[in-house]
């Protein structure tokens, strides 16, 4: 998947988070550093916390539990020292890395965004972010074909494991529930975008908090 295609999936939820941070409060608040996981060409999870270190700590859990095709970290920054911008550190499962910039124009209800563009060679913290993402994406993901059934009755009672598509949702739910418990302590959120209403219900029955289940963005259904 091309980075440009990834950005068409990732930019909408990120810019929506920034809009929310700038409206509904007496003064605009900075957007939390946010990690987005993309799998099967759709956004599947979003982790957002007040501290970049806490957001980055979710990388390995997402890489192992969700088996994403890409992880993207979005933060607010200043381009050329003064122009407000969103920066995106993009890392694919093949360890292809990109640094992307998107200018922020205006603020509050009038905020607009430029088309994301190549941000050039990352340095400093940006290079460190990509390195940490690469390390996370180098980890072996969970095998979703070995998720044990809890209901051994009925037609499929003799089968010890869930079908892979159901096992996938159960692992997703466990990963996001664990992350939510961790980041909630500092005011962060871990959100899951289920592929269907049925998958959403299965995720909640597997322990995903209802508050973590998010409605879809374009490209996430």
């Amino acid at each position: 998947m091309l980075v440009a295609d990834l950005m068409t999936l990732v930019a909408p939820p990120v810019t929506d988070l920034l809009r929310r941070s700038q409206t509904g409060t007496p003064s605009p608040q900075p957007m939390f550093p946010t990690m987005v996981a993309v799998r099967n060409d759709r956004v599947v999870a979003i982790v957002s916390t007040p501290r970049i270190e806490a957001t980055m700590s979710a990388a390995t859990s997402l890489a192992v539990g969700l088996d994403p095709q890409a992880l993207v970290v979005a933060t607010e920054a200043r381009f050329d020292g003064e122009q407000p911008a969103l920066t995106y550190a993009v890392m694919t499962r093949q360890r292809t890395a990109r640094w992307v910039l998107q200018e922020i124009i205006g603020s509050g209800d009038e905020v607009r965004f430029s088309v994301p563009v190549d941000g050039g060679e990352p340095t400093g913290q940006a290079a460190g972010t990509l390195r940490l993402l690469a390390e996370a994406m180098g980890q072996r993901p969970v095998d979703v074909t070995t998720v044990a059934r809890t209901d051994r009755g009925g037609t499929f009672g003799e089968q010890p494991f869930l079908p892979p598509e159901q096992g996938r949702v159960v692992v997703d739910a466990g990963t996001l529930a664990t992350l939510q418990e961790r980041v909630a302590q500092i005011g962060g959120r871990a959100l899951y975008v289920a592929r269907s209403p049925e998958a959403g219900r299965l995720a909640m029955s597997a322990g995903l908090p209802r508050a973590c289940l998010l409605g879809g963005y374009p490209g996430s259904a």
Side-chain angles (χ1 to χ4, degrees), residues 18-19 22-23 28 76 78 82-85 103-114:
L18 188 139
R19 283 192 180 94
Q22 293 198 348
T23 58
E76 278 194 79
R78 291 278 173 175
E82 59 181 75
Q83 174 61 44
E103 290 186 19
I104 302 170
I105 304 157
S107 61
D109 293 334
E110 305 300 320
V111 68
R112 295 178 292 116
F113 304 93
S114 70

Side-chain angles (χ1 to χ4, degrees), residues 176-211:
L176 269 297
T178 299
L179 284 172
Q180 173 61 21
E181 183 177 0
R182 185 195 309 170
V183 303
Q185 300 175 27
I186 58 170
R189 291 189 71 188
L191 302 170
Y192 179 55
V193 186
R195 64 175 181 263
S196 66
E198 293 75 16
R201 287 190 286 271
L202 177 58
M204 287 192 292
S205 70
L208 181 76
R210 178 65 184 86

Side-chain angles (χ1 to χ4, degrees), residues 1-215:
M1 191 179 194
L2 298 176
V3 171
D5 296 326
L6 279 170
M7 291 307 302
T8 65
L9 302 176
V10 171
V14 171
T15 54
D16 183 51
L17 283 172
L18 188 139
R19 283 192 180 94
R20 290 170 184 265
S21 73
Q22 293 198 348
T23 58
T25 58
S27 59
Q29 301 297 311
M31 186 191 80
F32 287 173
T34 298
M35 186 174 297
V36 181
V38 175
R39 187 182 69 214
N40 296 332
D41 299 342
R42 69 182 188 89
V43 171
V44 69
I46 300 170
V47 177
S48 189
T49 82
R51 301 198 297 267
I52 184 63
E53 296 84 0
T55 299
M56 291 303 303
S57 73
T60 298
S61 296
L62 291 175
V64 172
L66 270 60
D67 190 15
Q69 68 194 100
L71 290 176
V72 181
V73 177
T75 57
E76 278 194 79
R78 291 278 173 175
F79 180 55
D80 283 343
E82 59 181 75
Q83 174 61 44
L86 286 167
T87 63
Y88 299 85
V90 181
M91 182 62 62
T92 70
R93 179 60 77 180
Q94 292 73 35
R95 254 68 65 79
T96 299
R98 287 293 183 274
W99 186 247
V100 177
L101 287 175
Q102 184 177 29
E103 290 186 19
I104 302 170
I105 304 157
S107 61
D109 293 334
E110 305 300 320
V111 68
R112 295 178 292 116
F113 304 93
S114 70
V115 175
V117 297
D118 189 290
E121 189 67 24
T123 59
Q125 182 175 307
T129 296
L130 287 170
R131 184 176 63 254
L132 288 172
L133 290 178
E135 292 172 357
M137 292 295 264
Q139 303 300 309
R140 183 186 299 275
V142 171
D143 183 355
V144 298
T145 67
T146 58
V147 178
R149 302 184 68 95
T150 56
D151 177 10
R152 297 296 298 276
T155 305
F156 301 103
E158 69 279 4
Q159 298 296 328
F161 302 117
L162 289 171
E165 65 275 9
Q166 294 183 21
R168 172 75 277 161
V169 175
V170 170
V171 174
D172 289 350
T175 300
L176 269 297
T178 299
L179 284 172
Q180 173 61 21
E181 183 177 0
R182 185 195 309 170
V183 303
Q185 300 175 27
I186 58 170
R189 291 189 71 188
L191 302 170
Y192 179 55
V193 186
R195 64 175 181 263
S196 66
E198 293 75 16
R201 287 190 286 271
L202 177 58
M204 287 192 292
S205 70
L208 181 76
R210 178 65 184 86
C212 293
L213 189 61
L214 188 67

